[in-house]
Amino acid sequence: MTNNVDPRGEYTRVCPYCKESFVADHLSRFYCPDKNGRKNFCKNRQKRINDNLRKSGSVLIEHRKNPMQVFIEEPLLNEKDIDQIIINTQKDKNISILSEFLGDEKFIEVTERELLEKGFDSKLFDSYEDTKSGIKIYSVGKYVYHKTPENNKQYITLKQNYGTNRNV
């Protein structure tokens, strides 16, 4: 008789380093338990990368999120191509995050932290507009968003609703 170690699927994970699926031996494990015959291989490699980034002056936002998947369909011609693919993939992810938050509502206000926890990258947008009050309105796909000055939240709406619900 075999024991099913994960009957409800709550221990199934995708390693953020190698992107391989595995069954964790406890709920707080996020990296593969071993790889290439070495215990905590992926966790230690990711830690070393993060430490090197911190030493170079980069600021890392520590939060758990699903890894971004990049699908490459065409052969790459040069390094700029992969950069553009990654940027476009993150923009698509931003659009899906805004869509998830907005749902069927005309507009919604969320905290910046809520967006970051979903993996939103506020540095990637299609365009922006400066208003008379000094607020920048950012456009991504069919969505617009801006930070509300009074309560430090992000205001999200569709472009088509932007003119009718403008509160800046």
Side-chain angles (χ1 to χ4, degrees):
M1 183 169 133
T2 58
N3 290 338
N4 189 351
V5 293
D6 191 16
R8 291 183 285 184
E10 56 193 6
Y11 290 91
T12 304
R13 300 274 194 275
V14 174
C15 177
Y17 179 76
C18 71
K19 310 294 188 254
E20 289 185 18
S21 181
F22 69 97
V23 176
D25 51 355
H26 53 79
L27 281 174
S28 62
R29 180 175 296 282
F30 291 95
Y31 294 90
C32 299
D34 57 20
K35 176 81 68 177
N36 301 330
R38 299 178 74 186
K39 188 175 181 179
N40 293 325
F41 177 81
C42 293
K43 180 180 176 182
N44 292 334
R45 295 284 297 229
Q46 186 67 51
K47 185 174 189 246
R48 190 175 12 238
I49 290 169
N50 291 349
D51 289 345
N52 288 338
L53 286 171
R54 282 188 190 96
K55 286 178 187 174
S56 70
S58 297
V59 177
L60 302 178
I61 298 172
E62 299 289 337
H63 59 276
R64 298 279 182 217
K65 63 181 179 183
N66 294 332
M68 180 174 68
Q69 295 180 352
V70 179
F71 298 101
I72 301 172
E73 297 175 2
E74 303 171 6
L76 298 178
L77 301 175
N78 59 38
E79 195 173 301
K80 286 185 179 179
D81 292 338
I82 188 68
D83 292 340
Q84 193 59 48
I85 290 170
I86 292 170
I87 288 169
N88 290 341
T89 302
Q90 182 60 46
K91 277 186 185 178
D92 291 343
K93 186 175 181 182
N94 280 356
I95 290 169
S96 69
I97 291 168
L98 293 174
S99 171
E100 181 182 331
F101 274 106
L102 189 59
D104 294 332
E105 302 293 324
K106 276 192 151 187
F107 68 91
I108 191 169
E109 288 183 352
V110 297
T111 65
E112 188 171 12
R113 181 178 188 93
E114 288 174 305
L115 287 172
L116 290 175
E117 286 175 351
K118 292 284 188 179
F120 188 81
D121 187 346
S122 61
K123 292 176 272 205
L124 292 176
F125 48 85
D126 295 329
S127 62
Y128 72 90
E129 166 191 340
D130 282 316
T131 63
K132 292 178 184 176
S133 60
I135 295 173
K136 288 185 178 173
I137 309 292
Y138 297 94
S139 170
V140 181
K142 64 180 185 177
Y143 300 94
V144 292
Y145 68 95
H146 68 83
K147 188 178 281 188
T148 56
E150 59 276 352
N151 57 8
N152 203 24
K153 289 190 174 189
Q154 297 286 339
Y155 175 89
I156 303 168
T157 189
L158 292 170
K159 281 183 185 178
Q160 66 191 30
N161 296 336
Y162 171 61
T164 59
N165 290 327
R166 185 182 281 194
N167 65 349
V168 287

